[in-house]
Every structure is written in C-alpha cells, then in structure tokens.
Amino acid sequence: MKISELQAHIQSFDYAPEQSHHYFLKLIEEVGELSQAINQQKSGQPELAELKGSVAEELYDVLYYVCALANVHGVDLERTHELKEVLNKAKYNR
Ligand SMILES: [Mg+2]
C-alpha cells in the first residue's frame, strides 16, 4: 500500500477537521506507547497474537495519526516526501 492509499483509506472513515488537536494528542500518546515498546524490546514483525504492545503496533499507530493529521491539514505526504528529498539532498550533500 502506498502512503497516499493509506491516507485515503484512513480519510474514508476517520476525517474530522474539527478534531485536529485530538489527533495531535493521540499522536503524542502513541509516541509514548512506542517508547515503552522500544524500551521493552518488543521488536520484530509479530503475528496477530503477539501484535498488542509491540514496536510494530505502536509504529503503525503513530503512522495512523500522522496520516490523520496530514488529511485534516490538507497535506499530501507523498508530495511532501518528494519536496523534502530535494531539501535533504542539499542539506546533507547526498
Ligand atoms: Mg498504540
């Protein structure tokens, strides 16, 4: 799945521009859960039975709210990636 497809998928059932601050708070909450999962060394690609609380799950949760925030702020993450690549190539001499 492409990032644009993930953004569109999330927007299809979770799009509330008036909830922008809520999405931001959820993102911070999920970053905290990701920190816990990393500290507990719950790395690797789990199957469904081991997904809860894993780094994989929390990374996805972070990505979910990044996409939700991008949607309510009218940001195309794929286009932004292209633009940032230009800036980063110059900044880091890649
Ligand atoms: Mg979570």
Side-chain angles (χ1 to χ4, degrees), residues 29-30 33-34 52-53 57-59 61-62:
E29 179 182 313
E30 297 300 346
E33 291 178 3
L34 174 59
K52 199 72 186 156
E57 180 190 35
E58 303 310 343
L59 280 171
D61 290 346
V62 168

Side-chain angles (χ1 to χ4, degrees), residues 42-61:
K42 294 184 175 179
S43 300
Q45 181 56 59
E47 294 300 326
L48 184 58
E50 292 84 34
L51 184 62
K52 199 72 186 156
S54 66
V55 169
E57 180 190 35
E58 303 310 343
L59 280 171
Y60 178 81
D61 290 346

Side-chain angles (χ1 to χ4, degrees), residues 67-80:
C67 289
L69 273 171
N71 288 339
V72 298
H73 286 281
V75 172
D76 177 336
L77 288 171
E78 285 186 7
R79 180 63 182 143
T80 304

Side-chain angles (χ1 to χ4, degrees), residues 20-45:
S20 175
H21 189 66
H22 170 74
Y23 290 136
F24 179 73
L25 293 177
K26 289 297 292 183
L27 173 61
I28 300 306
E29 179 182 313
E30 297 300 346
V31 168
E33 291 178 3
L34 174 59
S35 176
Q36 282 185 311
I38 289 171
N39 286 336
Q40 294 167 2
Q41 300 184 345
K42 294 184 175 179
S43 300
Q45 181 56 59

Side-chain angles (χ1 to χ4, degrees), residues 72-91:
V72 298
H73 286 281
V75 172
D76 177 336
L77 288 171
E78 285 186 7
R79 180 63 182 143
T80 304
H81 163 72
E82 294 168 2
L83 298 173
K84 279 294 288 186
E85 278 292 285
V86 173
L87 293 181
N88 287 343
K89 281 178 182 172
K91 183 175 181 179

